[in-house]
Amino acid sequence: MSKIKPSQGAPYARIMGVGGYRPTRVVPNEVILETIDSSDEWIRSRSGIATRHWASEEETVAAMSVEASGKAIADSGIRPDQIGAVIVSTVSHFKQTPAIATEIAHLVGAGKPAAFDISAGCAGFGYGLTLAKGMVVEGSAEYVLVIGVERLSDLTDKEDRATAFLFGDGAGAVVVGPSKVPAIGPTVWGSEGDKSETIKQTVAWDEFHAERPEKFPAITQEGQAVFRWAVFEMAKVAQQALDAAGIAPEDLDVFIPHQANMRIIDSMVKTLKLPENVTVARDVETTGNTSAASIPLAMERLLATGQAKSGDTALVIGFGAGLVYAATVVTLP
């Protein structure tokens, strides 16, 4: 018989508060066209993107995270020192170690929580949310701060016609805490490593250090392959998440997919046969693809504008480099 005392956590977990931060500089398509041979009409028709936000030198990964986290903590109604863990999903923090989560935890006044970074690309928020749910239910933390943050302008090749218009910067955060009723459904997640080359960094850091190429490493992707995968495979994952939560499409109030591309979003809505009364996040038009930050940023905007309300049932799904994905049904804070 084990002598280890059993963990005593909450019966369930929920999102208690949400916050977002978008850099002050708004970059229209006209700026993108200064370095690529394209047109505003082509960019809008291919991606749905009209503008995106790019961070200034002062708007660092940590600074944006602190702003978003402060709003999420205030929205949750808890004190910063009650946070027991900080999880940060990002691919654009350039230090291999230490994790940026430790710095953010200190800056938000969280005391001495567990703090670590994860790398799951555009699915990173879903991964972090799932880890946070497990920690709250297991009892290793009562409240967990989950952050998705990116400065993808640092990793964008401004001369690459296929990707120069896609990416934006920003941070989104949520506080996950105890709940007496189910409020975060089972997560359907996974990876397809055989497709890992479809979205990748152009040059590995060790190769960059050794060879010093003229261009800084950037993100590249095989657009058509990613589009087909997202449209046909991720709708299946989204349906699996609905099934796992015991939710039918008509039971949903809100759909918050990763803001990768408007055509992908519209195709998923059609494939899932979502009713017209379901509110669909289309934050990509003015924010671009912010990878791990896109879902919490879109969630925050829907709540702030009244397009969604507290207590709504929402399906969230992220997908990206790896290729990795994560989908779950949540109750909005």
Side-chain angles (χ1 to χ4, degrees):
M1 182 179 293
S2 174
K3 297 180 180 179
I4 299 174
K5 182 180 178 180
S7 300
Q8 295 182 347
Y12 305 103
R14 66 186 177 101
I15 298 175
M16 299 178 59
V18 60
Y21 179 81
R22 293 172 174 81
T24 55
R25 182 188 177 192
V26 177
V27 180
N29 287 339
E30 286 73 20
V31 173
I32 306 299
L33 297 174
E34 294 174 2
T35 52
I36 62 171
D37 180 17
S38 188
S39 68
D40 177 65
E41 180 183 5
W42 187 88
I43 293 174
R44 288 173 184 259
S45 66
R46 299 292 290 183
S47 69
I49 299 172
T51 61
R52 72 285 294 146
H53 295 256
W54 282 356
S56 66
E57 188 174 337
E58 292 76 26
E59 290 168 316
T60 63
V61 167
M64 292 191 294
S65 297
V66 170
E67 290 292 331
S69 298
K71 294 177 183 178
I73 294 168
D75 192 41
S76 72
I78 69 166
R79 302 186 314 272
D81 62 5
Q82 290 179 276
I83 295 170
V86 177
I87 303 171
V88 177
S89 177
T90 184
V91 299
S92 46
H93 169 54
F94 291 155
K95 290 183 179 178
Q96 194 75 34
T97 190
I100 193 66
T102 59
E103 179 181 345
I104 294 167
H106 170 70
L107 292 173
V108 301
K112 300 179 179 180
F116 57 95
D117 298 350
I118 60 174
S119 176
C122 304
F125 176 74
Y127 275 52
L129 185 64
T130 303
L131 293 172
K133 171 189 173 183
M135 296 167 88
V136 171
V137 172
E138 185 268 340
S140 57
E142 185 176 11
Y143 301 104
V144 182
L145 178 63
V146 181
I147 303 165
V149 57
E150 302 293 2
R151 270 182 57 122
L152 294 179
S153 57
D154 292 335
L155 285 169
T156 298
D157 182 349
K158 307 301 194 297
E159 298 177 351
D160 180 7
R161 189 173 184 271
T163 61
F165 59 90
L166 285 176
F167 302 116
D169 303 337
V174 299
V175 172
V176 177
S179 174
K180 294 180 180 179
V181 298
I184 301 175
T187 298
V188 177
W189 56 356
S191 65
E192 297 185 26
D194 59 315
K195 301 180 181 67
S196 62
E197 293 295 302
T198 55
I199 305 175
K200 63 180 181 179
Q201 186 171 300
T202 52
V203 181
W205 293 118
D206 57 344
E207 295 173 6
F208 178 73
H209 178 72
E211 299 178 12
R212 298 283 177 176
E214 291 182 7
K215 284 190 175 182
F216 195 74
I219 296 174
T220 183
Q221 70 174 22
E222 298 175 18
Q224 286 300 316
V226 173
F227 180 86
R228 288 192 297 270
W229 175 77
V231 169
F232 296 111
E233 298 301 324
M234 291 305 95
K236 298 176 185 176
V237 172
Q239 184 61 58
Q240 290 171 22
L242 289 173
D243 294 342
I247 297 292
E250 54 268 26
D251 296 324
L252 282 177
D253 300 304
V254 185
F255 178 43
I256 311 178
H258 164 50
Q259 302 294 292
N261 179 306
M262 196 75 79
R263 292 169 63 206
I264 292 175
I265 294 170
D266 290 340
S267 295
M268 291 182 71
V269 169
K270 183 178 180 180
T271 302
L272 288 167
K273 298 179 180 179
L274 296 183
E276 291 186 4
N277 64 299
V278 174
T279 297
V280 180
R282 290 189 170 89
D283 195 43
V284 66
E285 180 179 5
T286 56
T287 306
N289 178 346
T290 57
S291 189
S294 78
I295 291 175
L297 276 174
M299 183 186 296
E300 188 256 359
R301 175 164 280 175
L302 289 176
L303 289 166
T305 58
Q307 296 177 72
K309 63 183 185 299
S310 174
D312 277 354
T313 300
L315 169 64
V316 300
I317 179 170
F319 44 86
L323 293 168
V324 296
Y325 53 87
T328 188
V329 176
V330 304
T331 301
L332 295 183

